[in-house]
Amino acid sequence: MIKKFLIMIFTYSLISFAQEKEMITVIGDSLVGKVVNGESIREVSGNVILTQGNVKITCRKAIQYLSRNDAELIGDVVATQDTLTIKTERGFYFGNLRKTSSNSGVTLEDKKVVLTAMQGEYFFDENRAVFQTNVKLYDTASTLTSQKLIYLRNEDRAIATIDVKIIDSVNTIFADTVDHFRKKQITIASGNVVIKNNSNNSLVFGEHLEDYRESKYTIIDKLPMLVQVDTSKSTDSLGFETVRLDTLFIQCKVMEVFREPEQKFIATDSVRIIRDLFASKNDLTVYLKDEEKIITQKISDEHNQPVLWYDNSQLTGDSITIYIEDKKIRQLDVDGNAFMVSQHKNYLNRFDQSSASGIKMFFNDNKIQRAEFFGNVYSIYYLYEEEQPNGLMKANSLDAVILFEDNEVSEVKLYGNPGSEYYPEQQVAGNERSFQLPKFIFIENRPDKQKMYEQINRIKWQLH
């Protein structure tokens, strides 16, 4: 009775196994059966065809291991399933797992992408590929390289890790990890992210990036920094032209790029900007590329005003708009509670100061030429006689115009109920702190280019 019962269990197990694990079939021009190390094998040669369900593999020779339901595949191996084709020179097929693998260089094509690597596994039931070592993935829009990549065909998704690089018509992206949804055109990159734009010579660094190609939107929300290497030309009074490196640095907490309907760049929260003699700190910077206009503004009553430095001058206001032409500042507008402070290059405790409702500043070849002040203008400016201090002038008016030479105040014009007081040098010397307008503040912690370089150096990246 017990013996009969065991036979029934054994028979049931074989039937269940056969139902769950479809056996592979292998045919070819010749077949040799043998037993090796106690295991029954069949060597099939010439026009070999292995099949299991909808999986078909052709090759020159196959060694079939009957008990394992596996086969070793040798020479011109081509595996197909629906629109999928996998090619390699030598590999294995595991029937119970419905998986193929190769360490001899492998290529996958599925009408959507071409995927190559030195090693590869493919799980036919899951439509999942795991490729390693010198991985390359090509689609119609980009080329991705990495050292490991998982390709999920059902999701049109590729997860690449280790030395990841994506090249498209505009950018090259480097990262530790990239999660790319091909059909949705969404790319998420993490760890040591670097975006190199080949058209404008800019680099964007960060630790996390999301790119939505269809909506033409990109966000970097962890340690973002933009660096754009450029050169500028200037001409001195004798007509000699000088070319200098003019690199733009923008650091913030969140960086966003909108490519349509208008090209717009937004830097948010703790924004630091440096370019040549210019620097800025603010909470919001918007760059409208088509209009060549940069806007920084105070985002709420609780937040600080944006600060802008140019050479030895400091400018604050509720909103600052910079107009650019041919990569140079053409005009700068300050609206709301405008305040301008200029520190003398030789007398560091002497600050020319002006406050007004608004200011318009005009530049030529990146040098300030004229500043126009509007509404309740109050000024303190120091006087010099052949570079020697000669007292100061306090003035007020409805409007004012200040002219500059070599970035220093050369002339002040007052309009609308002007009033002024002169203070001789003996009354001023040593008492400079008492000559400050009510809104006077000189902010010391100007953005530091060296600290920005230090952040860049923490990112491990390499342009190939």
Side-chain angles (χ1 to χ4, degrees), residues 21 172 315 430:
K21 309 295 181 184
T172 301
L315 196 60

Side-chain angles (χ1 to χ4, degrees), residues 249-267:
F249 295 84
I250 300 178
Q251 182 187 49
C252 56
K253 289 189 177 179
V254 178
M255 195 174 286
E256 299 169 278
V257 179
F258 299 82
R259 295 183 285 278
E260 284 188 0
E262 59 178 341
Q263 296 190 59
K264 183 166 60 176
F265 170 92
I266 299 177

Side-chain angles (χ1 to χ4, degrees), residues 157-168:
R157 179 183 179 187
I159 304 168
T161 54
I162 310 174
D163 298 332
V164 185
K165 181 169 72 172
I166 304 176
I167 302 173
D168 62 24

Side-chain angles (χ1 to χ4, degrees), residues 98-134:
R98 284 172 61 82
K99 180 187 84 170
T100 188
S101 70
S102 173
N103 294 325
S104 302
V106 59
T107 299
L108 179 153
E109 299 181 45
D110 66 352
K111 310 297 184 186
K112 295 182 289 190
V113 303
V114 177
L115 181 59
T116 67
M118 291 302 297
Q119 306 169 48
E121 291 181 303
Y122 189 80
F123 299 82
F124 289 92
D125 285 344
E126 302 170 37
N127 288 321
R128 176 169 64 97
V130 181
F131 279 33
Q132 298 189 67
T133 313
N134 298 330

Side-chain angles (χ1 to χ4, degrees), residues 133-185:
T133 313
N134 298 330
V135 182
K136 291 185 179 179
L137 184 147
Y138 307 90
D139 64 16
T140 54
S142 62
T143 299
L144 183 154
T145 62
S146 66
Q147 292 305 310
K148 184 176 181 180
L149 185 141
I150 298 173
Y151 177 49
L152 306 171
R153 292 185 65 217
N154 290 344
E155 300 178 39
D156 259 346
R157 179 183 179 187
I159 304 168
T161 54
I162 310 174
D163 298 332
V164 185
K165 181 169 72 172
I166 304 176
I167 302 173
D168 62 24
S169 59
V170 179
N171 296 313
T172 301
I173 299 176
F174 304 83
D176 292 342
T177 301
V178 167
D179 198 350
H180 178 61
F181 298 83
R182 195 194 68 85
K183 193 171 183 178
K184 298 178 181 176
Q185 291 295 293

Side-chain angles (χ1 to χ4, degrees), residues 216-231:
K216 301 188 183 305
Y217 170 72
T218 303
I219 179 170
I220 305 103
D221 57 3
K222 191 173 181 181
L223 297 176
M225 180 185 295
L226 180 146
V227 179
Q228 185 173 27
V229 180
D230 205 347
T231 56

Side-chain angles (χ1 to χ4, degrees), residues 436-452:
Q436 295 177 350
L437 293 176
K439 294 180 181 178
F440 176 85
I441 181 170
F442 193 70
I443 301 170
E444 300 286 353
N445 56 344
R446 191 167 173 160
D448 187 342
K449 191 180 294 185
Q450 183 59 37
K451 289 184 178 178
M452 295 192 177

Side-chain angles (χ1 to χ4, degrees), residues 194-391:
V194 180
I195 308 168
K196 181 187 179 197
N197 186 305
N198 297 318
S199 62
N200 63 16
N201 206 26
S202 69
L203 294 166
V204 177
F205 301 83
E207 286 295 324
H208 182 260
L209 168 146
E210 296 183 14
D211 180 71
Y212 301 84
R213 182 171 294 177
E214 284 190 346
S215 55
K216 301 188 183 305
Y217 170 72
T218 303
I219 179 170
I220 305 103
D221 57 3
K222 191 173 181 181
L223 297 176
M225 180 185 295
L226 180 146
V227 179
Q228 185 173 27
V229 180
D230 205 347
T231 56
S232 63
K233 295 180 181 179
S234 60
T235 305
D236 63 17
S237 57
L238 299 177
F240 290 104
E241 187 175 81
T242 302
V243 179
R244 59 189 298 171
L245 195 63
D246 189 11
T247 302
L248 169 67
F249 295 84
I250 300 178
Q251 182 187 49
C252 56
K253 289 189 177 179
V254 178
M255 195 174 286
E256 299 169 278
V257 179
F258 299 82
R259 295 183 285 278
E260 284 188 0
E262 59 178 341
Q263 296 190 59
K264 183 166 60 176
F265 170 92
I266 299 177
T268 309
D269 200 346
S270 305
V271 184
R272 306 283 188 273
I273 302 174
I274 300 177
R275 182 166 194 167
D276 197 18
L277 299 177
F278 281 89
S280 176
K281 285 174 56 178
N282 57 80
D283 291 313
L284 175 66
T285 295
V286 179
Y287 172 46
L288 304 173
K289 185 176 180 182
D290 296 339
E291 300 179 37
E292 292 194 275
K293 185 164 68 176
I294 298 173
I295 303 168
T296 69
Q297 58 189 38
K298 183 179 178 179
I299 59 176
S300 73
D301 291 339
E302 290 73 32
H303 286 79
N304 295 324
Q305 289 181 313
V307 187
L308 188 147
W309 292 267
Y310 173 74
D311 200 5
N312 61 338
S313 297
Q314 172 192 294
L315 196 60
T316 55
D318 293 344
S319 172
I320 300 176
T321 303
I322 304 169
Y323 298 89
I324 300 170
E325 191 173 277
D326 295 330
K327 301 179 181 178
K328 296 179 180 178
I329 294 180
R330 173 174 57 85
Q331 182 178 333
L332 189 152
D333 292 353
V334 185
D335 296 310
N337 298 306
F339 197 91
M340 182 176 173
V341 179
S342 297
Q343 184 179 33
H344 195 277
K345 59 185 178 183
N346 295 326
Y347 301 94
L348 300 182
N349 59 346
R350 300 198 169 200
F351 297 90
D352 294 328
Q353 308 153 46
S354 298
S355 67
S357 298
I359 305 174
K360 289 184 182 294
M361 302 173 69
F362 301 90
F363 295 79
N364 183 22
D365 202 17
N366 272 347
K367 288 186 176 180
I368 184 171
Q369 303 293 304
R370 186 174 86 255
E372 298 177 356
F373 294 75
F374 304 94
N376 299 319
V377 182
Y378 294 90
S379 299
I380 292 176
Y381 52 95
Y382 287 84
L383 304 174
Y384 301 90
E385 189 74 31
E386 295 182 349
E387 298 295 328
Q388 296 301 311
N390 188 24

